[in-house]
Amino acid sequence: MPRFAANLTMMFNENDFLDRFAIAAHAGFKAVEYLFPYDFPAETVAETLANAGLEQALFNLPAGDWGKGERGLAALPERRTEFRQSVKTAVGYGRAIGTPLLHMMAGIARHDDKAAMATYRDAVAFTADAVGEAGIGLVIEPINGRDMPGYFLNDFERAADLIMDLGHANLKLQFDIYHRQVMHGDVLTALETMMPLIGHVQIASVPKRHEPGTGELDDFRIFEHLDALGYRGYVGCEYRPRGETVAGLTWMKRL
């Protein structure tokens, strides 16, 4: 059975963010992930994580002004200076919290824009080096255009090609099963072919992005497939509960 990490940005929203750690641990999770920790001092997050007896799976680099619709800075040429400063911020938090992985969002830009392409490639290489010096891995994630219109990195093959081309040992693919199904389908085969590149997996049902087992895919067969392929990382539960979070965790009892 895979190991699961609760996504505290999407789950346990009935409670304040820092309270979600202990609640997730009580619900049976051994690790957590979330989008951003930057509203709180890194030491506070680290202490809260430790007090709950949890491991950190990953979190994101700063992604610009989220409230205004920004979804990353890495592919935006005019934001290069700000982006590089955000990498320093993320590394500082990463060291303090003890995360093994950071996810870098690309931003809203045309994927065929040459300036955006060059900027993004440079940003991935720069960040992989910077976080690697801190002993941290970097993941990039293709995101579907239905949930995030205009997102620059919107294709799994393009992401895989970039990872292989750059060849950084600590640069991996974040394979979100929900996004994969919405964009391309063929989840099981893609997991097989891309497993050597995968650094983190996330799950949500398709099409509503609710709990596993509530959509069109056989999520439990996917879990078995991950085991068979030898995946040993965490599976991030990046889903929106249909109702109260704890009440919706009955899917875990099937495993």
Side-chain angles (χ1 to χ4, degrees):
M1 181 182 74
R3 301 182 301 157
F4 296 100
N7 187 295
L8 299 187
T9 300
M10 301 184 77
M11 301 174 69
F12 303 105
N13 275 217
E14 302 87 355
N15 307 278
D16 291 336
F17 178 72
L18 292 178
D19 294 333
R20 297 173 198 171
F21 289 77
I23 296 169
H26 183 72
F29 288 97
K30 304 301 182 184
V32 293
E33 63 178 37
Y34 36 79
L35 290 184
F36 311 110
Y38 308 111
D39 286 340
F40 304 91
E43 295 74 18
T44 299
V45 179
E47 181 180 6
T48 303
L49 182 76
N51 288 343
L54 293 165
E55 293 184 5
Q56 184 70 48
L58 90 165
F59 56 85
N60 293 356
L61 275 74
D65 193 330
W66 193 265
K68 292 183 178 179
E70 294 185 337
R71 295 295 182 266
L73 306 174
L76 310 182
E78 70 279 9
R79 307 288 288 277
R80 188 188 302 265
T81 300
E82 183 182 350
F83 169 76
R84 293 199 169 197
Q85 181 57 50
S86 78
V87 174
K88 294 180 182 179
T89 298
V91 168
Y93 269 76
R95 281 178 165 149
I97 296 171
T99 187
L101 291 173
L102 288 167
H103 168 227
M104 186 186 82
M105 298 192 73
I108 306 300
R110 289 181 59 89
H111 71 266
D112 57 353
D113 181 284
K114 291 183 178 180
M117 292 168 62
T119 300
Y120 183 67
R121 180 185 177 88
D122 176 74
V124 174
F126 171 84
T127 307
D129 284 339
V131 306
E133 290 177 2
I136 299 172
L138 179 68
V139 289
I140 58 174
E141 176 191 28
I143 297 177
N144 79 80
R146 185 174 74 193
D147 285 63
M148 202 170 287
Y151 191 71
F152 177 79
L153 187 61
N154 61 359
D155 183 274
F156 271 71
E157 293 296 336
R158 199 146 40 85
D161 287 346
L162 178 61
I163 291 168
M164 290 187 290
D165 190 36
L166 289 176
H168 289 248
N170 68 326
L171 175 61
K172 298 290 185 178
L173 176 69
Q174 182 163 303
F175 192 109
D176 187 299
I177 291 161
Y178 169 80
H179 289 306
R180 173 71 199 193
Q181 176 67 6
V182 172
M183 282 189 278
H184 307 297
D186 205 19
V187 170
L188 296 183
T189 300
L191 282 171
E192 290 177 12
T193 58
M194 295 184 174
M195 185 53 64
L197 301 178
I198 294 175
H200 187 61
V201 173
Q202 291 178 323
I203 186 76
S205 68
V206 182
K208 298 296 184 179
R209 206 170 186 178
H210 292 322
E211 288 87 345
T214 62
E216 65 191 36
L217 294 178
D218 185 344
D219 296 311
F220 300 98
R221 183 182 177 191
I222 293 171
F223 296 150
E224 292 175 355
H225 198 59
L226 286 169
D227 283 344
L229 291 172
Y231 177 72
R232 296 294 178 261
Y234 281 106
V235 174
C237 298
E238 195 183 41
Y239 65 79
R240 300 186 187 95
R242 290 182 296 178
E244 197 269 336
T245 303
V246 173
L249 291 176
T250 53
W251 64 270
M252 294 180 70
K253 297 178 181 179
R254 292 180 55 181
L255 299 169

